[in-house]
Amino acid sequence: MNADNKKESGEVLIKVENLCKSFGDNVVLNDISIDIHKGEVISVIGPSGCGKSTFIRSLNLLETPTGGRIIFDGEDITDRGCDRRLVREKMGMVFQQFNLFDNLTVKKNIMLAPVKLKLMNKSEAEETTMKLLKNVGLEDKANMYPSQLSGGQKQRVAIARSLAMNPKVMLFDEPTSALDPEMVNEVLNIMNDLAKKGMTMVVVTHEMGFAKGVSNRVIFIDGGKIKEDGTPEEVFSNPNDTRLRDFLKSVLK
């Protein structure tokens, strides 16, 4: 894995301003501000329960922020008048547990949203789907059902399904955490290919090799706050935050 590990200086695609999220009295995100530039690959790391998944789920409003603003592609998506459905069309999301429809074939899983939302007709969606399946190495699985696939194959289908919407950014919430170790690389390789093609990506991950080798930027969240934000070299080789140093010692044994 390798990518140009430099911080992008281009256009800001997502601007997060003073983002807060609480569940009752439990403050999960506390005043997070960050700019995400077009073409950046950002890995989000941190201990379990630190707010990583809530952060990424807030970016596409799967979790409704309790404070702050998120500006996506020039629009304040936290405004009450914002159409969340339209936001999610432009933000691909890949979950831990694949979230495929078991009663649909691989091809129909991928075609469903573009056709239902009238972004493509059936023939266009089928052509796009087969191209995407070829890209993720699953062209021969088009007519199979999710139950016939391995975990790694399911996750690659989930990635293809998100890409079918032609998103401006891809969000990944621990995409390899439910996979057997031998299946992790087949998913990371697809993500590495996306990074090389310039896809903007925000990835919550425990895979430090990916964070080091593919990301332009790594952010460390702890206690609902961004404690460190820098290049992989800065974060892994010269961490400033004491908590980050302790975290890296525990995960890089």
Side-chain angles (χ1 to χ4, degrees):
M1 292 182 183
N2 50 46
D4 185 7
N5 287 331
K6 69 179 189 300
K7 192 169 177 176
E8 295 292 324
S9 58
E11 182 182 341
V12 174
L13 182 61
I14 304 174
K15 176 179 278 291
V16 180
E17 298 177 341
N18 310 113
L19 178 66
C20 297
K21 176 62 181 178
S22 298
F23 296 96
D25 294 332
N26 182 24
V27 179
V28 180
L29 299 177
N30 188 359
D31 199 30
I32 284 183
S33 295
I34 184 174
D35 286 351
I36 297 167
H37 301 83
K38 280 188 177 179
E40 275 193 312
V41 179
I42 297 179
S43 286
V44 183
I45 64 172
S48 296
C50 71
K52 302 186 302 295
S53 288
T54 301
F55 169 68
I56 205 165
R57 289 170 63 85
S58 295
L59 291 182
N60 69 350
L61 306 178
L62 284 174
E63 298 289 356
T64 302
T66 47
R69 297 199 309 162
I70 300 170
I71 315 296
F72 171 54
D73 204 24
E75 180 184 3
D76 182 356
I77 64 173
T78 44
D79 185 272
R80 286 187 177 185
C82 175
D83 187 336
R84 295 185 175 200
R85 181 182 62 83
L86 293 177
V87 171
R88 292 186 190 125
E89 284 180 17
K90 295 188 285 184
M91 284 189 175
M93 181 84 181
V94 178
F95 302 89
Q96 296 178 36
Q97 297 293 342
F98 327 125
N99 290 9
L100 300 175
F101 294 104
D102 292 333
N103 61 327
L104 298 180
T105 63
V106 164
K107 182 165 70 174
K108 288 183 178 177
N109 260 285
I110 297 171
M111 289 175 59
L112 181 65
V115 171
K116 191 173 183 180
L117 296 171
K118 295 183 169 54
L119 301 177
M120 303 177 194
N121 61 38
K122 282 189 177 179
S123 63
E124 289 169 337
E126 185 165 8
E127 183 180 351
T128 297
T129 293
M130 295 311 296
K131 284 179 181 175
L132 288 169
L133 284 174
K134 185 174 183 180
N135 289 345
V136 299
L138 293 173
E139 200 174 11
D140 59 333
K141 309 294 185 187
N143 295 312
M144 290 187 173
Y145 288 86
S147 61
Q148 298 172 286
L149 304 180
S150 70
Q153 289 170 335
K154 288 178 187 177
Q155 197 60 293
R156 283 148 64 195
V157 171
I159 293 171
R161 180 182 59 182
S162 289
L163 291 172
M165 298 295 291
N166 195 26
K168 296 197 171 188
V169 60
M170 287 284 285
L171 309 177
F172 294 85
D173 188 7
E174 298 190 23
T176 61
S177 65
L179 302 179
D180 293 332
E182 65 268 22
M183 295 176 185
V184 168
N185 277 342
E186 63 186 64
V187 173
L188 293 181
N189 287 339
I190 298 299
M191 294 168 66
N192 192 18
D193 287 343
L194 286 176
K196 287 177 179 176
K197 291 173 182 174
M199 174 62 75
T200 308
M201 297 161 63
V202 183
V203 185
V204 172
T205 185
H206 291 294
E207 297 293 335
M208 296 301 130
F210 177 89
K212 277 182 170 181
V214 179
S215 307
N216 308 108
R217 192 168 157 202
V218 179
I219 66 173
F220 173 68
I221 294 180
D222 187 46
K225 288 179 174 286
I226 293 178
K227 294 292 185 69
E228 196 123 3
D229 177 354
T231 66
E233 175 70 19
E234 289 165 346
V235 170
F236 286 99
S237 300
N238 191 30
N240 292 313
D241 185 76
T242 303
R243 185 70 183 89
L244 173 57
R245 289 198 291 269
D246 292 342
F247 173 75
L248 291 176
K249 281 178 188 175
S250 69
V251 297
L252 296 176
K253 285 179 180 176

